[in-house]
Amino acid sequence: HAILATNTSALLISEIAKATKRPDKVVGMHYFNPAQLMRLVEVIMGDKTSEETCNVTVELAKKFGKEVVLCKKDVPGFIANRITIAGTNLIAWMVYNGEYTIEEVDAAAIQKAGMPMGIFALMDYTGIDVVANVLRFMDEREPLFKACPLIMERVKKGEFGYKTGKGFYTYPEKGQWVMPAIDLGKAEKFDPMIQTYVTVNMAAELLRNDIATVEDIDKTIKLGFNLPIGILEIADTIGIDKVLSELKTIEKKYGPFYKPSPLLEKMMK
């Protein structure tokens, strides 16, 4: 009778459920890190998760004082990681190809986008090995998604971030987190909105395929990443025409994985 809930942030619930003869009672219950502080819980339905299992899990999370978002279909990365990891991977490719430096990207993220830390510094904090596992998982299941070697090479070297003393930046010792010293004067070259356009596109696809609602997508961004505005709210502010135009440029340069969502095309029409 017990519900089996997994805290995975990306792995398919349906694949995990194959290990049991009662897949209807297997569900995703993804807490955000650190779980004792972050208010959000993502509840994910596998292909065979029952409505009862889902409802009990949602109510349990609410009893814990959490805010809940529902991922109605099982896709790699669910809501949070699916809409953010694609942009991170693209930026890693830009650095790998020599278009920008790590410091230029992180300086722009802080100075222009108002992020508390840079994109690469955040990977160091989260754990580059964790990021690589999510990328590898998506790479295996989505042929058009190409995990960037810049991230994978760090893992091969055992450079996972601050927990190993070295990642994209170097730290005083293993396990000692200090904010990397970044020259904010290098912010001029990189446009952090590139990540935003890709994130909007991934969110639009979640919406188009009835995987998550507008409200849950934006709640995920606000509560899961401590941002004051949701990604779809940002899209409306920028203008769908601008987002679509930029995505077409990104697709042309970096490949079909970044093809604009048909939902955005429909909205433009």
Side-chain angles (χ1 to χ4, degrees), residues 5 17 26-27 78 93-94 100-101 107 114 144 162 208 212 220 232 237:
V26 180
V27 68
F78 316 136
W93 272 108
M94 290 175 168
Y100 307 99
T101 66
L144 295 178
Y162 87 95
R208 184 177 75 90
T220 299
L232 297 175
T237 304

Coordinates of all heavy atoms in Angstrom, one line a residue, residues 5 17 26-27 78 93-94 100-101 107 114 144 162 208 212 220 232 237:
A5 N 8.1 7.3 -3.4 CA 8.4 8.7 -4.0 C 9.9 8.9 -4.1 O 10.7 8.6 -3.2 CB 7.8 9.8 -3.1
A17 N 9.9 3.2 -12.0 CA 8.7 2.4 -11.6 C 8.8 1.0 -12.1 O 8.1 0.1 -11.6 CB 7.5 3.1 -12.1
V26 N 4.2 4.7 -7.7 CA 5.5 5.4 -7.8 C 5.3 6.8 -8.3 O 4.6 7.0 -9.3 CB 6.4 4.6 -8.7 CG1 7.8 5.3 -8.8 CG2 6.6 3.1 -8.2
V27 N 5.9 7.8 -7.7 CA 5.7 9.2 -8.0 C 7.0 9.9 -7.8 O 7.8 9.5 -7.0 CB 4.5 9.7 -7.2 CG1 4.9 9.8 -5.7 CG2 4.0 11.1 -7.7
F78 N 11.7 17.2 -16.0 CA 10.4 17.7 -15.4 C 10.2 19.2 -15.8 O 10.4 19.5 -17.0 CB 10.3 17.5 -13.9 CG 10.8 16.1 -13.5 CD1 11.6 15.9 -12.4 CD2 10.5 15.0 -14.3 CE1 12.1 14.6 -12.1 CE2 10.9 13.7 -13.9 CZ 11.7 13.5 -12.8
W93 N 28.4 25.6 -24.5 CA 28.9 25.4 -25.8 C 29.5 26.7 -26.4 O 30.5 26.6 -27.1 CB 27.8 24.9 -26.8 CG 27.5 23.4 -26.8 CD1 26.5 22.7 -26.3 CD2 28.4 22.5 -27.4 NE1 26.7 21.4 -26.5 CE2 27.8 21.2 -27.2 CE3 29.6 22.6 -28.1 CZ2 28.4 20.0 -27.7 CZ3 30.2 21.4 -28.6 CH2 29.6 20.2 -28.4
M94 N 28.9 27.8 -26.1 CA 29.5 29.1 -26.5 C 30.9 29.3 -26.0 O 31.8 29.8 -26.7 CB 28.5 30.2 -26.1 CG 27.2 30.2 -26.8 SD 26.1 31.5 -26.2 CE 24.8 31.5 -27.5
Y100 N 33.0 33.2 -25.9 CA 33.1 34.0 -24.6 C 33.9 33.2 -23.6 O 34.2 32.0 -23.8 CB 31.7 34.1 -24.0 CG 30.6 34.7 -24.9 CD1 29.7 33.9 -25.6 CD2 30.6 36.1 -25.2 CE1 28.8 34.4 -26.5 CE2 29.7 36.6 -26.1 CZ 28.8 35.8 -26.7 OH 27.8 36.3 -27.6
T101 N 34.4 33.9 -22.6 CA 35.1 33.2 -21.5 C 34.1 33.0 -20.3 O 33.0 33.6 -20.3 CB 36.2 34.1 -20.9 OG1 35.7 35.3 -20.3 CG2 37.2 34.5 -22.1
A107 N 30.1 37.4 -15.2 CA 30.1 38.8 -14.9 C 28.8 39.4 -15.5 O 28.1 40.2 -14.8 CB 31.3 39.5 -15.5
G114 N 21.2 40.5 -12.9 CA 20.9 40.6 -11.5 C 20.9 39.2 -10.8 O 20.3 39.1 -9.7
L144 N 18.7 15.2 -30.4 CA 19.1 16.6 -30.8 C 19.8 17.3 -29.7 O 20.5 18.3 -29.9 CB 17.8 17.4 -31.2 CG 17.1 16.9 -32.5 CD1 15.9 17.7 -32.8 CD2 18.1 16.9 -33.7
Y162 N 33.2 23.3 -5.8 CA 33.8 23.6 -4.5 C 34.0 22.4 -3.6 O 34.9 22.3 -2.7 CB 33.0 24.7 -3.7 CG 31.8 24.2 -2.9 CD1 32.0 24.0 -1.5 CD2 30.6 24.0 -3.4 CE1 30.9 23.6 -0.7 CE2 29.5 23.6 -2.7 CZ 29.7 23.4 -1.3 OH 28.7 22.9 -0.5
R208 N 2.6 23.6 -24.3 CA 1.9 23.1 -25.6 C 1.6 21.6 -25.4 O 0.5 21.2 -25.9 CB 2.9 23.3 -26.8 CG 2.3 22.9 -28.1 CD 3.2 23.2 -29.2 NE 4.3 22.3 -29.3 CZ 4.3 21.1 -30.0 NH1 3.3 20.7 -30.7 NH2 5.4 20.3 -30.0
A212 N 2.6 21.0 -18.0 CA 2.5 21.9 -16.9 C 1.7 23.1 -17.3 O 1.6 23.4 -18.4 CB 3.9 22.3 -16.3
T220 N 7.4 27.6 -10.5 CA 8.7 26.9 -10.4 C 9.9 27.8 -10.5 O 10.8 27.7 -9.7 CB 8.7 25.8 -11.5 OG1 7.7 24.9 -11.4 CG2 10.1 25.1 -11.5
L232 N 7.4 33.0 -18.1 CA 6.4 33.3 -19.1 C 6.0 34.8 -18.9 O 5.6 35.4 -19.9 CB 5.2 32.3 -19.0 CG 5.6 30.9 -19.3 CD1 4.4 30.0 -19.1 CD2 6.1 30.8 -20.8
T237 N 6.7 40.3 -21.2 CA 7.3 41.6 -21.1 C 8.2 41.9 -22.2 O 8.2 43.0 -22.8 CB 8.1 41.7 -19.8 OG1 7.2 41.4 -18.7 CG2 8.7 43.1 -19.5

